[in-house]
């Protein structure tokens, strides 16, 4: 009686969600394996890892889709315009454990569509990498609601607060 169950491919609603995410992350990386073919196994797509039993997405790695090389990152030399992330786009990924969004020119999240909205649905999210973006202090409140996080990387963003937030900020919980 599971309407999403499948044995040989990822879940269809997760595949469709990934295809909706693709246009936001194709600036430098065309994500060529992400194809709009019904039944295409998104568990085999670039940057996607699935649970081998449930075939649900457990890791999404969309690193440096906006910048070619993070090592040459400079807060003063970014040529791209920041964009606001609708974090609720990740809601269908109920088993997601690791989300890597480093180097994507994300300037924040849409009001009422931030990471706080994910706190109940993404109860397995343990790793969140938002380094090398345009984030500022306003993101901190919505991130505080993600109680399952064990590792949060906010390094190389634009925090105005205390000096330890301006440079590298990676938090690890045990």
């Amino acid at each position: 009686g599971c309407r999403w169950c499948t044995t040989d491919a990822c879940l269809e609603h997760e595949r469709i969600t990934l295809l909706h995410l693709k246009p936001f992350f194709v600036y430098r990386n065309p994500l060529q394996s992400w194809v709009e073919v019904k039944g295409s196994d998104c568990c085999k797509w670039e940057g996607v890892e699935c649970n081998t039993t449930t075939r649900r997405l457990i890791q999404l790695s969309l690193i440096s889709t906006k910048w070619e090389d993070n090592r040459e990152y400079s807060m003063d030399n970014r040529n791209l315009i920041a964009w606001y992330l609708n974090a609720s786009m990740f809601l269908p990924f109920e088993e997601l454990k690791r989300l890597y969004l480093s180097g994507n020119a994300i300037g924040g999240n849409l009001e009422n569509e931030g990471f706080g909205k994910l706190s109940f649905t993404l109860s397995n999210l343990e790793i969140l990498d938002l380094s090398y973006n345009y984030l500022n202090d306003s993101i901190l409140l919505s991130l505080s609601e993600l109680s399952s996080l064990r590792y949060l990387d906010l390094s190389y963003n634009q925090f105005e607060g205390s000096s330890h937030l301006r440079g590298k900020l990676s938090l690890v919980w045990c």
Side-chain angles (χ1 to χ4, degrees):
C2 172
R3 66 180 180 157
W4 301 114
C5 292
T6 180
T7 54
D8 16 18
C10 61
L11 301 183
E12 182 67 9
H13 76 284
E14 289 189 351
R15 185 185 72 79
I16 290 168
T17 300
L18 287 170
L19 290 171
H20 286 129
L21 282 169
K22 182 180 177 179
F24 298 101
F25 296 97
V26 295
Y27 181 76
R28 294 272 187 210
N29 182 355
L31 299 172
Q32 293 176 350
S33 61
W34 293 32
V35 292
E36 197 164 344
V37 175
K38 187 167 177 64
S40 173
D41 186 2
C42 64
C43 293
K44 296 178 181 173
W45 290 357
E46 177 185 353
V48 176
E49 183 183 329
C50 296
N51 178 309
T52 55
T53 305
T54 65
R55 305 302 287 167
R56 294 201 72 131
L57 193 120
I58 58 171
Q59 177 174 307
L60 184 55
S61 184
L62 295 167
I63 298 173
S64 297
T65 64
K66 299 292 186 187
W67 286 299
E68 223 167 312
D69 188 349
N70 270 351
R71 290 171 294 179
E72 296 181 17
Y73 174 89
S74 166
M75 293 299 282
D76 299 325
N77 294 329
R78 292 195 235 173
N79 296 325
L80 295 171
I81 297 172
W83 60 283
Y84 288 89
L85 177 68
N86 180 349
S88 67
M89 293 189 298
F90 298 101
L91 285 172
F93 308 129
E94 294 176 15
E95 286 187 27
L96 188 65
K97 291 182 179 185
R98 298 175 297 275
L99 179 57
Y100 301 95
L101 298 174
S102 177
N104 283 298
I106 299 169
N109 46 245
L110 296 173
E111 191 173 343
N112 300 319
E113 300 300 331
F115 286 98
K117 187 170 183 137
L118 304 179
S119 62
F120 296 110
T121 306
L122 297 186
S123 59
N124 296 314
L125 189 63
E126 296 176 351
I127 297 173
L128 179 58
D129 183 351
L130 292 169
S131 60
Y132 295 94
N133 281 296
Y134 287 116
L135 300 173
N136 60 38
D137 299 12
S138 66
I139 190 95
L140 297 175
L141 184 59
S142 67
L143 292 175
S144 69
E145 306 210 14
L146 293 172
S147 60
S148 60
L149 281 183
R150 299 288 177 249
Y151 178 84
L152 172 63
D153 190 345
L154 294 171
S155 58
Y156 297 100
N157 275 286
Q158 297 181 330
F159 293 105
E160 301 288 328
S162 61
S163 61
H164 72 279
L165 290 176
R166 289 190 192 123
K168 297 182 178 185
L169 176 61
S170 297
L171 303 173
V172 180
W173 291 272
C174 295

